C-alpha cells in the first residue's frame, strides 16, 4: 500500500463519504480523538488532579506548533479559531494606520479592522488573482499593514507569501492560514510575516475549538488589549494591585485553557509533521491537477487560477449551485457551494478514485 492509501485508515470518514470538502472542515484522524479522549478520561477519573501535567502538555503543543511554522514557542498563542487570532492582531496594529487587502478576502481578514475604524483598501482581483505586485509600495495606496490569506477561500488562489515579505518594506505583513496551513508549508520568519492566525478545523485536520496566532517578538513589545489572571508571571500570588505580564504571546490565554481542543491540535500537527509538509503539499497539488484535468475532460469550466496560484481548492462553474450540492450529496459526494459554482477540495486523505466519483456525479448533474 502506498503511504497515501494507508493514511486513509486513520480517517474513517473517507470510507463513508466521498469527502471533497477540506475547505469547509476536515474529518479528524484517529490520533486526534485519542488525544481528546485521553484528556477527558483523566478529567472524568481524577478531576483536576492532572493540572500540572496538562499545563506541561500545552507547552509541548506550543513547541510543536512553533516548529511547524518556523517560529519560537513564545510567539504562539492558542485561540479558538482564526477570527479570535485576527482580533488579537488587530488589537496590536489598529493604531498604525490603513490596511491593504484583496477584494476576494474572507471577511474575518478585513471586517475586524473596519469595525475598529481602520481604513481598509480593497485591491481588485483580475481573473481571480490579486497579484503581489498590486501591493507594491510604489503603486498601492499608502498603508501600514498588508493583510492577506495564504489561500483564498472563494477560488483557492494561493499566494506566494515570500513575495509579499519581499515587497512589504516598512509595512507589517499579516497572513491568514485558515485555507492553507496543513496543506502548504509555512515559514513565518523566512517569509517576513509579522503576525499570522489560523483555525484548526480545515486543512490542519484538528477539529473545532483550537487554532493559534503567531505574534512576532517585535509585535509582542506592544501591550495587549486584553489580559486575565493567567496572563501574569505569578498568577498564584492572586495580587489585585501589581502584576507583570508574561512576555510571550501566551499572555493572551487569559484564563483556564481549553485543554481538549489544544491537545487535539497538537495530535493533528504531530500527525501532519510525521507525513511531512512538503510531501503533503505535493500530494495536494497532484490531486488538484488530476481533478482539474477530469473536470475539463467532462466539459466543465474551472474558475480557479492556475499555475503557482493553484491550491487544494478548485472552483468549478455550474448552474444552480445549491441544487448541484444537493445532487452530489445524494451520491455521497461532499463539496461546498459558492455563488459561481462548486468548491471542490482535495486533501492528502483523498485519492484519484474519490476525484473520479466526484467528477462522475458532477457530469451526471451537468447533463441534467
Ligand atoms: C481565509 C479564511 N479565514 C478564516 C476562516 C474561518 O475563520 P474561523 O476559523 O474564525 O471560523 C475561513 C473559513 O472559511 C477562511 O476561509
Amino acid at each position: 500500500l502506498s503511504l497515501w492509501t494507508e493514511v486513509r485508515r486513520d480517517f474513517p470518514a473517507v470510507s463513508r463519504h466521498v469527502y471533497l470538502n477540506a475547505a469547509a472542515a476536515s474529518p479528524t484522524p484517529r490520533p486526534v480523538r485519542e488525544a481528546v479522549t485521553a484528556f477527558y478520561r483523566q478529567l472524568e477519573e481524577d478531576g483536576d488532579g492532572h493540572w500540572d501535567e496538562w499545563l506541561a502538555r500545552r507547552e509541548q503543543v506550543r513547541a510543536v506548533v512553533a516548529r511547524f511554522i518556523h517560529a519560537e514557542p513564545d510567539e504562539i498563542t492558542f485561540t479558538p479559531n482564526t477570527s479570535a487570532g485576527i482580533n488579537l492582531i488587530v488589537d496590536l496594529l489598529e493604531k498604525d494606520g490603513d490596511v491593504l487587502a484583496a477584494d476576494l478576502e474572507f471577511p474575518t481578514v478585513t471586517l475586524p479592522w473596519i469595525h475598529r475604524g481602520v481604513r481598509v483598501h480593497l485591491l481588485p482581483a483580475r481573473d481571480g488573482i490579486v497579484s503581489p505586485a498590486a501591493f507594491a509600495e510604489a503603486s498601492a495606496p499608502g498603508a501600514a499593514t498588508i493583510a492577506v490569506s495564504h489561500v483564498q477561500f472563494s477560488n483557492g488562489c494561493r499566494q506566494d507569501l515570500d513575495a509579499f515579505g519581499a515587497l512589504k518594506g516598512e509595512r507589517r505583513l499579516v497572513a491568514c492560514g485558515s485555507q492553507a496551513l496543513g496543506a502548504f508549508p509555512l515559514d513565518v520568519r523566512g517569509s517576513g510575516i509579522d503576525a499570522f492566525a489560523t483555525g484548526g478545523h480545515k486543512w490542519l485536520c484538528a477539529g473545532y475549538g483550537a487554532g493559534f496566532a503567531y505574534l512576532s517578538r517585535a509585535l509582542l513589545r506592544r501591550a495587549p488589549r486584553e489580559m486575565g489572571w493567567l496572563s501574569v508571571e505569578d498568577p498564584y500570588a492572586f495580587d489585585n494591585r501589581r502584576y507583570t505580564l508574561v512576555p510571550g504571546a501566551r499572555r493572551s490565554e487569559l484564563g483556564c485553557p481549553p485543554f481538549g481542543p489544544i491537545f487535539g491540535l497538537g495530535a493533528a500537527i504531530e500527525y501532519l509533521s510525521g507525513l511531512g509538509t512538503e510531501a503533503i503539499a505535493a500530494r495536494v497539488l497532484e490531486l488538484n491537477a488530476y481533478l482539474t484535468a477530469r473536470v475539463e475532460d467532462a466539459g466543465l469550466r474551472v474558475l480557479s487560477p492556475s499555475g503557482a496560484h493553484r491550491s487544494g481548492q478548485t472552483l468549478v462553474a455550474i448552474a444552480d449551485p445549491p441544487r448541484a450540492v444537493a445532487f452530489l450529496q445524494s451520491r455521497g459526494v461532499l463539496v461546498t457551494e459558492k455563488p459561481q459554482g462548486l468548491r471542490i477540495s482535495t486533501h492528502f486523505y483523498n485519492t484519484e478514485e474519490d476525484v473520479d466519483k466526484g467528477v462522475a456525479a458532477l457530469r451526471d448533474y451537468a447533463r441534467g
Side-chain angles (χ1 to χ4, degrees):
L1 284 182
S2 83
L3 170 66
W4 303 119
T5 314
E6 223 165 294
V7 294
R8 285 167 71 84
R9 294 182 181 164
D10 295 326
F11 289 89
V14 302
S15 53
R16 298 165 55 85
H17 313 276
V18 179
Y19 200 93
L20 299 171
N21 216 11
S26 277
T28 45
R30 293 187 199 280
V32 170
R33 177 171 49 80
E34 285 161 9
V36 172
T37 305
F39 164 70
Y40 277 104
R41 181 163 302 124
Q42 288 182 320
L43 193 57
E44 196 175 278
E45 293 176 356
D46 304 315
D48 149 88
H50 297 271
W51 174 260
D52 289 335
E53 179 191 325
W54 295 333
L55 286 181
R57 172 63 185 152
R58 179 185 63 167
E59 295 320 300
Q60 277 175 1
V61 175
R62 199 185 308 281
V64 164
V65 167
R67 210 174 309 125
F68 196 64
I69 66 163
H70 300 268
E72 297 298 326
D74 63 306
E75 295 170 312
I76 304 296
T77 186
F78 295 111
T79 62
N81 48 44
T82 317
S83 302
I86 296 281
N87 273 272
L88 284 178
I89 295 166
V90 176
D91 286 347
L92 297 180
L93 295 177
E94 64 177 323
K95 297 219 165 60
D96 287 12
D98 295 5
V99 171
L100 278 184
D103 64 359
L104 293 177
E105 266 306 340
F106 190 75
T108 232
V109 178
T110 56
L111 294 183
W113 304 96
I114 294 169
H115 181 64
R116 310 282 182 95
V118 178
R119 180 154 182 218
V120 177
H121 303 271
L122 294 174
L123 303 177
R126 210 173 286 155
D127 299 325
I129 299 172
V130 182
S131 81
F135 291 77
E137 257 173 322
S139 50
T145 303
I146 295 172
V148 64
S149 286
H150 191 176
V151 169
Q152 287 298 334
F153 81 106
S154 50
N155 67 358
C157 178
R158 179 161 55 107
Q159 293 292 8
D160 176 0
L161 293 179
D162 288 350
F164 279 83
L167 61 71
K168 72 173 187 173
E170 293 301 308
R171 298 169 296 179
R172 305 282 183 185
L173 177 58
V174 174
C176 172
S178 177
Q179 290 294 2
L181 197 66
F184 296 99
L186 178 69
D187 179 343
V188 287
R189 224 161 243 110
S191 296
I193 294 168
D194 297 283
F196 170 88
T198 188
H201 60 280
K202 297 178 188 289
W203 303 84
L204 281 171
C205 305
Y208 294 97
F212 66 89
Y214 154 79
L215 306 168
S216 67
R217 287 211 178 124
L219 284 194
L220 286 168
R221 286 193 211 107
R222 299 179 174 198
R225 179 173 140 130
E226 296 186 322
M227 61 83 69
W229 76 285
L230 281 177
S231 305
V232 308
E233 289 277 24
D234 185 8
Y236 304 111
F238 301 109
D239 190 332
N240 281 312
R241 292 181 176 78
R242 277 166 302 274
Y243 67 92
T244 306
L245 288 176
V246 294
R250 179 169 71 75
R251 67 194 190 181
S252 293
E253 293 161 30
L254 313 182
C256 288
F259 289 116
I262 291 172
F263 298 166
L265 178 70
I269 294 184
E270 281 166 352
Y271 184 87
L272 299 179
S273 302
L275 296 174
T277 51
E278 298 290 346
I280 290 173
R283 179 62 176 155
V284 166
L285 290 173
E286 181 180 41
L287 284 169
N288 182 273
Y290 182 78
L291 169 65
T292 301
R294 296 290 80 76
V295 165
E296 286 170 350
D297 289 348
L300 294 163
R301 201 153 57 91
V302 170
L303 300 174
S304 297
S306 55
H309 286 294
R310 205 23 95 73
S311 65
Q313 293 172 51
T314 306
L315 183 61
V316 179
I318 198 107
D320 196 350
R323 200 165 67 80
V325 167
F327 180 85
L328 265 63
Q329 197 167 358
S330 74
R331 298 267 297 254
V333 179
L334 303 182
V335 299
T336 301
E337 88 182 59
K338 288 283 149 200
Q340 314 90 321
L342 300 182
R343 181 182 63 187
I344 307 177
S345 306
T346 46
H347 208 352
F348 67 87
Y349 49 68
N350 292 121
T351 56
E352 281 78 2
E353 197 187 340
D354 286 343
V355 171
D356 290 341
K357 288 180 184 162
V359 174
L362 203 57
R363 199 178 41 223
D364 291 347
Y365 172 80
R367 281 180 185 158

